[in-house]
Amino acid sequence: MKRMLFIYNPNAGTGVLKPKLADIIDIFVKAEYEVTIYPTQRYHDALEKVQTYTEDYDIVVCSGGDGTLDEVVTAMAKREKKVPIGYIPTGTTNDFANSLHISKDLLEAAYTVANGVPFPCDIGQFNDDYFVYIAAFGLFTDVSYETNQSMKNVLGHLAYVLEGTKRLFNISSYHLKVSYDDQVIEDDFVYGMVTNSRSVGGFKGIIGKDVVFDDGEFEVTLIKTPKNPIELNEIIGALLMRQIDSKHMYTFRTGEIHFESIEEIPWTLDGEFGGQHDVVDIHNRKQGMSIIINESMLKELSINGKIENKELF
């Protein structure tokens, strides 16, 4: 019999997992798994549990939001023996699950975990830390971890919007030197993101086209500091239209990128606070995580059949 560690965050989303927990476990048992269940008790509990377990599990499954997944992936990346990860999304946004076409229906997601296939997906190394799908700084990046959980549960995406509007009139600008491949950029920025995702903040298509998850490259978007309200409106309009405005943004793909700043800048990793840094090195750990997906999605998500093109648009 195969052995599974099932970690879930009882506070994620609106608590939708609890009424279906028995049915989910039943799906796992019918797939011949012996299941150990662990509800998280506090912040970083999932991280600690995965880092320290000594049992010989065949798979680690987590249920919660992107933050819970980030904890499990980060801990697994640091383990000597790595096993595949299954994911049942129950958070408010679930960007990474949306990108991998993991169902919002919890029983369908559980069935995929029990009967799907492992997909070798890229992850990011951020200095000594890890992230699953996004490392970002600047405008709105603190919204996800500063928005009250009960507000998220009641209002969903609207909670992020309401919290985000508070920052529109207090925009911080950061002077950064950015190095990647053989290129160097030095400019003032209000926002930057290094991603391996097709969805950010619940919005699909904002990164660019032909995003795959196992090619060893990130999609990078850097937004220059607007000089006046007109430029700010142009930037917001471009983002809403899923378009890149080359006057105000840099977009490129790379496997490694280096950031330097005079002051320490707060970063977010997968929607959670990632600390303040004046030097950041980000490396793509190609196919560094094995995550269970529906077999029918392999062709779409993989580099196979992808047109090699360094430009996003």
Side-chain angles (χ1 to χ4, degrees):
M1 204 171 201
K2 298 170 290 184
R3 302 186 70 188
M4 172 191 294
L5 173 61
F6 179 37
I7 299 172
Y8 73 93
N9 179 357
N11 299 313
T14 56
V16 294
L17 181 73
K18 291 180 183 179
K20 297 186 177 181
L21 187 57
D23 292 331
I24 289 171
I25 300 302
D26 187 59
I27 290 172
F28 294 156
V29 172
K30 282 183 167 61
E32 299 184 346
Y33 279 103
E34 178 185 294
V35 185
T36 299
I37 305 171
Y38 186 83
T40 58
Q41 304 297 304
R42 61 192 178 277
Y43 180 63
H44 274 177
D45 199 13
L47 179 77
E48 183 178 339
K49 181 64 177 176
V50 176
Q51 277 184 324
T52 59
Y53 75 73
T54 57
E55 295 82 359
D56 191 19
Y57 293 116
D58 298 286
I59 185 172
V60 173
V61 180
C62 63
S63 182
D66 290 328
T68 302
L69 177 65
D70 175 87
E71 289 188 33
V72 171
V73 171
T74 296
M76 188 62 70
K78 296 178 179 180
R79 287 188 65 91
E80 183 176 350
K81 180 184 177 182
K82 299 171 177 56
V83 300
I85 294 169
Y87 184 36
I88 301 176
T90 56
T92 307
T93 305
N94 303 313
D95 279 318
F96 195 64
N98 290 336
S99 295
L100 296 186
H101 300 282
I102 296 174
S103 178
K104 296 177 183 178
D105 182 288
L106 303 189
L107 299 186
E108 286 186 19
Y111 184 84
T112 295
V113 169
N115 300 281
V117 295
F119 172 53
C121 183
D122 298 346
I123 59 173
Q125 183 169 350
F126 179 97
N127 290 344
D128 294 326
D129 208 343
Y130 292 87
F131 63 95
V132 179
Y133 73 96
I134 183 170
F137 69 86
L139 185 64
F140 298 153
T141 53
D142 61 345
V143 168
S144 60
Y145 56 82
E146 287 195 0
T147 305
N148 183 273
Q149 181 63 51
S150 61
M151 188 177 178
K152 293 181 190 177
N153 292 347
V154 174
L155 299 177
H157 286 299
L158 181 58
Y160 292 104
V161 174
L162 292 174
E163 188 71 22
T165 55
K166 299 177 185 178
R167 283 127 173 101
L168 273 176
F169 303 102
N170 187 26
I171 300 174
S172 297
S173 177
Y174 304 104
H175 188 81
L176 284 161
K177 181 180 179 182
V178 183
S179 307
Y180 68 99
D181 299 340
D182 58 349
Q183 303 293 316
V184 177
I185 299 169
E186 190 164 357
D187 214 327
D188 296 322
F189 301 100
V190 292
Y191 181 76
M193 61 182 175
V194 180
T195 65
N196 190 38
S197 177
R198 294 176 182 172
S199 174
V200 173
F203 294 97
K204 294 182 179 180
I206 202 169
I207 303 298
K209 299 176 181 177
D210 302 320
V211 176
V212 294
F213 300 89
D214 61 348
D215 61 352
E217 290 192 318
F218 297 117
E219 285 69 39
V220 181
T221 303
L222 304 172
I223 301 179
K224 302 178 189 178
T225 302
K227 296 182 177 60
N228 52 59
I230 294 176
E231 289 191 357
L232 177 60
N233 286 335
E234 290 174 349
I235 291 169
I236 293 172
L239 292 173
L240 291 174
M241 295 294 292
R242 316 287 197 269
Q243 296 176 346
I244 291 296
D245 183 345
S246 59
K247 294 186 300 181
H248 305 305
M249 305 179 194
Y250 297 94
T251 63
F252 52 89
R253 287 189 170 102
T254 186
E256 297 185 9
I257 187 166
H258 177 80
F259 295 87
E260 293 180 44
S261 56
I262 297 174
E263 59 184 317
E264 290 190 336
I265 296 174
W267 285 75
T268 178
L269 306 178
D270 298 327
E272 301 293 328
F273 183 56
Q276 299 193 117
H277 309 272
D278 54 5
V279 175
V280 167
D281 281 300
I282 297 178
H283 301 270
N284 187 298
R285 296 305 181 198
K286 186 175 181 179
Q287 301 177 12
M289 167 183 66
S290 180
I291 188 163
I292 305 297
I293 64 170
N294 191 311
E295 187 173 8
S296 65
M297 291 293 106
L298 275 177
K299 185 175 181 181
E300 177 183 339
L301 300 174
S302 176
I303 194 173
N304 296 331
K306 172 179 174 281
I307 299 174
E308 291 294 337
N309 185 357
K310 281 278 185 178
E311 298 299 322
L312 288 181
F313 290 85

